[in-house]
């Protein structure tokens, strides 16, 4: 028994050391003051702006389109539903480079839709729009999957009670499904945002790495490795800090959602008022 316990603790220690030491090295390799100074460089500022702008726009699109799509998939059963869900989840397992090539094949100048878009005067590859589309492509499955799970977890009795009280489909969606699934929606959105922040492969294939235009923070880190390793460290450390915040938010959302769901369940009975 003691030997088994030692094996468990040794495995845990090895896992923590293997995953924690490289992250700690980001902050120990360069003094904190120098890291902050490097973040004030033009390269860092431009990459941070491009990253935040693209991710905010992308996540807004993902939430606006993904929420009703996930609601439909969670509340309706139709022929081919499993195929549709699999298509929406496929980017989760695609290699990033394949995602970039697929986007080029669809929206590139000689792609499936590229000719029609160019006829309308629209060029997407290697522009800011390409960064947004790349982020949407790789991050949307995280949100849609979480949203489907959240909507499916809503108590059917509450839905039936709301409909019995005369609430129509839009009101049931807004007053019952959305509040009760809000924890899952928030967790999915934060995970999607985190995935978008770290996107590299699809972006460099489809949008390129133009400083101040399409060069996101992961691309700037890659470019800085051969030019200024301190800048690469500073950008990496910043992404680690952002990831820690996102992880903490993701862990806190379920607890907040549980406290919210109780009051929402009570309010569902007053829908007729």
């Amino acid at each position: 028994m003691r030997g088994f316990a030692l094996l468990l603790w040794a495995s845990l220690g090895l896992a923590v050391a293997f995953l924690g030491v490289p992250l700690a090295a980001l902050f120990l390799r360069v003094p904190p003051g120098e890291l902050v100074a490097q973040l004030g460089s033009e390269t860092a500022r431009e990459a941070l702006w491009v990253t935040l702008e693209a991710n905010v726009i992308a996540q807004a699109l993902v939430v606006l389109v993904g929420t009703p799509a996930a609601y439909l998939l969670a509340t309706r059963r139709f022929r081919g539903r499993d195929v549709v869900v699999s298509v929406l989840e496929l980017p989760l397992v695609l290699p990033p480079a394949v995602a970039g090539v697929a986007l080029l094949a669809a929206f590139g100048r000689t792609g499936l839709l590229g000719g029609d878009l160019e006829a309308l005067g629209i060029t997407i590859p290697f522009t800011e729009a390409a960064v947004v589309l790349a982020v949407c492509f790789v991050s949307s499955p995280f949100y849609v999957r979480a949203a489907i799970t959240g909507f499916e977890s809503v108590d059917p009795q509450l839905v039936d009670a709301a409909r019995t009280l005369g609430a129509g489909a839009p009101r049931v969606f807004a007053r019952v499904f959305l509040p009760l699934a809000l924890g899952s929606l928030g967790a999915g959105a934060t995970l999607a945002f985190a995935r978008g922040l770290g996107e590299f492969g699809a972006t460099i294939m489809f949008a390129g790495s133009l400083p101040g235009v399409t060069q996101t923070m992961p691309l700037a880190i890659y470019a800085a490795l051969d030019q200024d390793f301190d800048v690469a460290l500073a950008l990496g450390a910043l992404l680690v800090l952002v990831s820690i915040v996102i992880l903490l938010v993701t862990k806190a959302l379920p607890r907040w959602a549980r406290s919210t769901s109780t009051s929402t369940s009570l309010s569902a009975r007053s829908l007729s008022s």
Side-chain angles (χ1 to χ4, degrees), residues 71-166:
Y71 176 71
L72 174 64
L73 290 169
T75 58
R76 302 289 190 277
R77 293 296 182 267
F78 53 88
R79 183 175 298 177
R81 177 186 177 277
D82 291 342
V83 175
V84 172
V85 172
S86 297
V87 170
L88 294 178
E89 293 178 340
L90 189 57
L92 287 172
V93 295
L94 277 181
V98 175
V101 171
L103 289 169
L104 278 174
F107 302 107
R109 180 169 298 180
T110 59
L112 186 63
L113 303 175
D116 296 332
L117 292 173
E118 282 210 355
L120 298 173
I122 301 173
T123 301
I124 295 180
F126 308 105
T127 64
E128 297 93 331
V131 182
V132 173
L133 290 183
V135 172
C136 285
F137 188 85
V138 301
S139 66
S140 57
F142 290 88
Y143 178 75
V144 173
R145 183 64 262 177
I148 292 174
T149 302
F151 288 134
E152 287 179 338
S153 67
V154 174
D155 189 348
Q157 292 184 351
L158 291 177
V159 178
D160 293 338
R163 289 171 178 164
T164 301
L165 292 170

Side-chain angles (χ1 to χ4, degrees), residues 199-212:
E199 166 50 33
F200 178 86
T203 304
I204 198 169
M205 296 284 291
F206 185 49
S209 183
L210 307 174

